[in-house]
Amino acid sequence: MKDVVNLSKLALPEPLNLIGGEWVPARSGGEMDVVSPIDGEVFARIADSDAADVDAAVQAARAAFEGGAWSELTAAERGRLMIRLSERILEHAEDLAQLETRDNGKPIAQARADMKVTARYFEYYGGAADKVHGEVIPFQKGYNVEVHREPHGVTGHIIPWNYPAQMFGRSVAPAIAMGNAAVLKPAEDACLTALAIGRMATDLGFPPGAINIVTGRGARAGQALADHPGIDFISFTGSPEVGQMIQQAAARNFIGCTLELGGKSPQIVFEDADLDAALPVLVNAVIQNGGQTCSAGTRVLVQRGIFDAVGARLAERFGEVEAEASDHDGATLGPLISAKQKKRVETYIAEADAPLMARGRIGEGAPDGGFYVAPAVFGPCDPKARIAQEEVFGPVVCMIPFEDEAEAIAIANGTEYGLVAAVWTRDGGRQQRVAKAMRCGQVFINGYGAGGGVELPFGGIRKSGHGREKGFAALLEFSTIKTIVNNHG
Ligand code: NAD
């Protein structure tokens, strides 16, 4: 790997798990290589953990939750620790961003933005830790009824590789803010920033067992965590196939879960839209993070009267996009996460059941061993075409024409997913009608994406999953209600 990463103040994480406040190797001694998507070279190793490591982590979390130093902290003290972690992340943001880019392949500008968002999760939820109040319910004479909001206990977190640091913050911060003790299984394809932030938490004096991190393969460490009878709640982000298995495991253990499983999100462009404002956003909503974003706006629905004009402009812009090494300023599209993901995306492109309108390029300087894919625009697509229905998770967009509002709504809602949608129009009535008609968890009007959107409840329906992350909604997910009825006479 060429020496492009300046990890001056941040040591490369070692192949260790964080269990009960200690950094320990996998009990089996197993390790795995970490490959950089930029050039395909091995540059680090992580612990290849199994059920024994997961069991130790769950036990450490249990001890922290039941009587350990973590359980002794007040909500304000938990929040203060989290805010210090937020500040520590910001102090090391550049080093963390360099590490994220090397590990995940995302453009360095995106990695820098991710670190701000990650810090913001710990700031936001740290600030909220002592602001989740219970209620008193007026009841019969002689009774006092209190509704308490309590942590679940031990929470399991299985996160994907597309936003490793952000996902850590998004999943773990609300859980620990509520007083749960967390066991995190990050993705084997990219987990070094999660380990680095875990190291910051231990350095800052987070009590042992409050945050535990066990790295390794999904089918082994991940499955062991999902199946473990000692967890009280599980939060999963990743593929629908694995999400279904997580929900089955949760059912076997009679616990709750949240699932965030991706989407095929529509952006609806009406004839009266401000196209100059819309076009850059339409492009960015697809190529951001190499299209490896659950909320990527990968179906662009365009009203028929402007379809050819918008198609030509979008094709021109995509045609200019170059996939390149992502570790320098100005890179907009880097490699995909792995050889497997590159093959998956290229297969979708090769087998697409719609006309190809434009293809970007792979830059001449892109290292040979990296996992680069030139972006692709397809259209006009039949809304029921496979390429317009399935999540590709790469820089691929489908353009779909529509006649009127009713048809736009039907097409937009016409996949198994329902995560995010956008409507581009100057007509205020239409903005409200279409937003209300969208069957999904988040709708943008004349825009797309919220730069992290830490405060904004986020999640899907059906194949996009269920439950809500971000905002106060996540605190409610990571807690349970107890009603205390006191007959005081
Ligand atoms: P995945 O679902 O296999 O992996 C996500 C996480 O689940 C990782 O931490 C992984 O180790 C873990 N995991 C895998 N198998 C498991 C199991 N049997 N039990 C418990 N945990 C397990 O996703 P992937 O293979 O990395 O990507 C495949 C596709 O999933 C992508 O192409 C994309 O469509 C989708 N995806 C969606 C998101 C999202 O943000 N919604 C993120 C990543 C991937």
Side-chain angles (χ1 to χ4, degrees), residues 4 20 25 42 132-133 164 248 256 277 293 345 357 452:
V4 287
V42 174
V132 182
H133 299 168
Q248 285 162 355
T293 303
V345 174
M357 291 172 70

Side-chain angles (χ1 to χ4, degrees), residues 148-318:
H148 292 236
R149 197 162 268 284
E150 300 183 339
H152 292 293
V154 175
T155 49
H157 306 258
I158 299 178
I159 60 172
W161 38 260
N162 52 347
Y163 291 87
Q166 270 207 51
M167 290 290 172
F168 179 10
R170 180 168 123 185
S171 191
V172 171
I176 61 173
M178 280 307 307
N180 298 284
V183 179
L184 170 73
K185 208 301 283 175
E188 55 271 45
D189 283 325
C191 60
L192 296 183
T193 51
L195 291 169
I197 295 168
R199 178 71 75 175
M200 291 172 189
T202 48
D203 288 351
L204 283 169
F206 269 68
I211 301 173
N212 304 274
I213 306 177
V214 180
T215 62
R217 295 161 214 271
R220 197 184 303 162
Q223 188 77 51
L225 180 56
D227 286 340
H228 202 293
I231 56 170
D232 300 302
F233 188 84
I234 188 155
S235 156
F236 173 80
T237 303
S239 61
E241 297 70 26
V242 177
Q244 225 166 23
M245 295 196 295
I246 300 291
Q247 183 147 7
Q248 285 162 355
R252 282 193 296 275
N253 283 328
F254 301 103
I255 62 170
C257 64
T258 53
L259 303 177
E260 203 271 88
L261 310 175
K264 194 75 180 173
S265 296
Q267 299 209 64
I268 309 171
V269 185
F270 285 95
E271 279 169 358
D272 66 342
D274 178 348
L275 292 183
D276 291 335
L279 272 153
V281 179
L282 295 177
V283 175
N284 188 53
V286 177
I287 65 163
Q288 177 178 331
N289 217 47
Q292 303 166 123
T293 303
C294 47
S295 55
T298 51
R299 289 187 301 147
V300 175
L301 281 49
V302 183
Q303 201 159 13
R304 204 171 288 278
I306 57 167
F307 185 86
D308 289 343
V310 174
R313 288 176 70 178
L314 212 61
E316 189 189 347
R317 282 176 188 247
F318 268 91

Side-chain angles (χ1 to χ4, degrees), residues 323-413:
E324 57 184 336
S326 42
D327 46 15
H328 66 88
D329 290 336
T332 52
L333 179 63
L336 301 189
I337 185 72
S338 61
K340 179 179 148 205
Q341 192 67 14
K342 172 179 157 82
K343 185 159 181 246
R344 174 188 154 100
V345 174
E346 279 178 342
T347 304
Y348 265 108
I349 293 173
E351 295 177 358
D353 43 356
L356 180 68
M357 291 172 70
R359 198 81 209 264
R361 289 185 299 272
I362 296 178
E364 282 179 12
D368 287 341
F371 311 129
Y372 299 90
V373 173
V377 185
F378 291 98
C381 296
D382 182 324
K384 294 292 174 205
R386 181 168 171 247
I387 194 76
Q389 286 284 319
E390 296 182 9
E391 185 180 46
V392 177
F393 230 56
V396 175
V397 61
C398 290
M399 295 197 59
I400 305 170
F402 68 86
E403 292 297 337
D404 55 20
E405 201 173 299
E407 193 186 15
I409 290 168
I411 295 172
N413 288 338

